[in-house]
Amino acid sequence: MRVSLTVGNLASMNQRFFDFTDRVVVVSGAAKGIGAGIAHRFACAGAVVVANYRSSERQARALKSRIEQDGGRVHTFPGDVTREGDVTRLFDDVLTRTGRLDVLINNAGSYPMTGVLEMTADEWDAVLATNLRSVFLCTQAAARRMPHGGAIINIASIEGESPMPLHSHYNAAKAGVLMHTLSAARELGPHGIRVNAVSPGLIWREGIERDWPDGVQRWTESCPLGTLGTSDDVANACLFLASDAARWITGVNLRVDGGAMTRPAF
């Protein structure tokens, strides 16, 4: 049956699609950077946000203050999401505090630069744990607590498809995140749980032009849109994929990269 649409009811639909009032959203690695931007965006949309962090307590307090000053609701929760016990405590706490879980954003990660010939096995394991093991542990714990369905969004990277030098461990982890996204979408779909990925390109952060001027210049010269992205760009993509507007979308990788991946291979 075709529904007749008017300007009025389209506006109402748009408002409803991106209204997360009283929905509970967990964001791992939320104290700073992209994670903080995602947490703030969902809070502004009405969600109750649970912001996980490992060691950045000062930044987590600053995020909480900012969200609350803007009228949002947030709980902060310290914990290492590479550890199964910490993950269990995080999601048990979510249900104790709020009674529900609607959205998980797997954002925790690290990206040290080390060459293949210099890298130790411990360095490899640490990056795989932070960027990939955490995604598995949190996805499993969240899905077990979503009896009525939900949405899971994994923050991957364009490096999961196009490797950067000195990042073999990170590249491999993010490629794993993309495949885990597909696998989880397949298995969890029958439970009403959608699983998608967002792959950012180069995202602006304080001091990046000073610390990596040549890299920023190369990026802006080769990227079709000619700029770095922001945490808000990534957050808006997450909001869409978690929203009712994306109700029939699962197993996708949404690149948020200003068109960088359109560059020719040769």
Side-chain angles (χ1 to χ4, degrees), residues 32 34 48 101 159 180 182 191 208 235 239 245:
K32 55 187 177 181
I34 290 173
V48 178
L101 173 61
E159 291 186 47
H180 186 272
L182 291 174
H191 301 281
I208 190 171
L239 192 78

Side-chain angles (χ1 to χ4, degrees), residues 26 50 52 77 81 85-94 138:
V26 173
V50 178
N52 156 259
F77 191 93
V81 288
D86 284 17
V87 170
T88 298
R89 284 189 290 274
L90 166 62
F91 287 95
D92 284 348
D93 185 76
V94 169
C138 289

Side-chain angles (χ1 to χ4, degrees), residues 64-112:
K64 179 177 175 65
S65 176
R66 179 187 173 204
I67 288 175
E68 291 177 343
Q69 285 175 2
D70 290 339
R73 293 172 291 173
V74 60
H75 304 287
T76 57
F77 191 93
D80 183 346
V81 288
T82 71
R83 297 179 178 177
E84 190 170 5
D86 284 17
V87 170
T88 298
R89 284 189 290 274
L90 166 62
F91 287 95
D92 284 348
D93 185 76
V94 169
L95 292 189
T96 298
R97 288 176 179 267
T98 68
R100 61 184 292 173
L101 173 61
D102 300 283
V103 179
L104 164 65
I105 312 292
N106 280 311
N107 171 74
S110 63
Y111 41 92

Side-chain angles (χ1 to χ4, degrees), residues 82 110 119 122-135 168-174 176-177:
T82 71
S110 63
M119 187 181 302
D122 285 345
E123 288 174 321
W124 172 274
D125 289 344
V127 171
L128 268 289
T130 305
N131 292 282
L132 183 56
R133 176 182 168 88
S134 66
V135 171
S168 64
H169 42 10
Y170 181 79
N171 300 333
K174 291 304 186 181
V177 169

Side-chain angles (χ1 to χ4, degrees), residues 128-161:
L128 268 289
T130 305
N131 292 282
L132 183 56
R133 176 182 168 88
S134 66
V135 171
F136 159 67
L137 290 176
C138 289
T139 295
Q140 184 184 71
R144 287 172 172 172
R145 293 163 175 81
M146 290 177 168
H148 306 295
I152 297 173
I153 299 165
N154 300 322
I155 304 303
S157 169
I158 61 171
E159 291 186 47
E161 300 176 273

